Amino acid sequence: MDTAIQNYARTHTLRSPDHYRVGPFTVRHNPGWELKFANYAIPNQGAEPTAGEIADLVAAFRGRDRLPRLEFLPAWAPAVEPALLAAGFTVENRAPVMACTAGELLAPKPVDGLRVSEPATDAEFTAAAAVQHTGFGGEGGPDDGEIAWLRAASEGGGVSALATVEGVPAGAGGCSAPVDGTGELAGLAVADAFRRRGVGAALSAWLTSTAFDRGFGAVWLEPGGPDVERIYASIGYRRVGEKLNISLDPA
């Protein structure tokens, strides 16, 4: 599963229109979205970068006004983490990776007044992106990149979702198109007013179930913390590995 997940992430990076290569790294660059989680590098499998190649990578990030940052499963390229640490990078966290297959998905508890559907109109995509924007700490309206990400998920063979409670936007998220049957659930956010009411579990289950209906064999995700991990575990997700998030603070 580790290899399938990392292959998925690297393939999607190569498919992104603004990606670029620096030595043994592929960088997912999002020109319309400065969020650090939307801009990161992935090493080639088995990469052994030199100090010069890492310096070139840092310069490429900074030249595009982005935080030098990588996301990858350490077993994919064991020599990369020591090389990054030697170059001054700091580990942000070692995030658990969870996955679910169709036979493992469990039904969530019902939420009164909840409706989950795929955005179809400009207003619905904007409403969904707005929930994500504020849910991840943004201010004001959503970035163009957030709206584009949701549209790309829906139009590229994946799925996006907007959850409402009594007509009020309450949650959003998506699953990008699968690679060899494996897809990622990402960008899931619940509006402050609707947290701790089961919206996150119901939204996650809807996205996962819809992905399976569209031919996904497995869905993986990176939970944001222990509480969130328990929510995903309650609908059938299980730990399958660990992902390294590592970056170089601005000098």
Side-chain angles (χ1 to χ4, degrees):
M1 182 61 75
D2 276 8
T3 299
I5 289 171
Q6 190 65 80
N7 182 60
Y8 160 91
R10 186 171 182 275
T11 299
H12 266 281
T13 296
L14 288 168
R15 289 176 179 173
S16 63
D18 294 289
H19 80 274
Y20 59 92
R21 300 291 300 275
V22 179
F25 303 101
T26 303
V27 182
R28 185 162 195 168
H29 176 67
N30 197 320
W33 197 2
E34 294 184 4
L35 184 73
K36 71 177 184 178
F37 304 113
N39 298 271
Y40 55 87
I42 296 174
N44 294 343
Q45 188 170 18
E48 297 182 354
T50 65
E53 289 170 332
I54 293 176
D56 289 342
L57 179 67
V58 170
F61 269 96
R62 289 185 169 156
R64 293 168 174 80
D65 196 27
R66 294 293 186 268
L67 176 72
R69 189 171 183 275
L70 294 90
E71 296 186 4
F72 64 100
L73 279 66
W76 174 262
V80 173
E81 182 182 352
L84 293 172
L85 293 174
F89 278 70
T90 301
V91 173
E92 295 177 356
N93 66 340
R94 299 180 188 278
V97 173
M98 307 179 77
C100 182
T101 61
E104 297 170 324
L105 185 63
L106 304 174
K109 294 180 181 179
V111 179
D112 291 341
L114 178 68
R115 180 178 181 271
V116 184
S117 62
E118 192 154 26
T121 66
D122 289 346
E124 289 171 340
F125 276 109
T126 300
V131 173
Q132 291 179 312
H133 184 76
T134 56
F136 290 113
E139 298 180 352
D143 298 325
D144 291 343
E146 292 167 306
I147 299 172
W149 182 86
L150 287 165
R151 285 190 177 279
S154 291
E155 297 168 359
V159 56
S160 61
L162 170 63
T164 59
V165 175
E166 303 297 343
V168 179
C175 288
S176 296
V179 173
D180 296 332
T182 299
E184 178 189 14
L185 193 160
L188 193 133
V190 175
D192 285 344
F194 298 99
R195 291 179 180 173
R196 301 187 182 280
R197 293 171 56 177
V199 172
L203 176 57
S204 301
W206 186 93
L207 281 163
T208 306
S209 176
T210 304
F212 292 147
D213 289 344
R214 295 184 181 181
F216 288 49
V219 178
W220 71 277
L221 56 83
E222 180 186 339
D227 290 343
V228 179
E229 183 174 357
R230 283 191 287 271
I231 291 172
Y232 288 123
S234 74
I235 61 170
Y237 278 83
R238 56 186 174 82
R239 280 200 187 203
V240 294
E242 177 183 85
K243 181 160 73 71
L244 174 68
N245 297 313
I246 187 169
S247 58
L248 182 65
D249 289 334

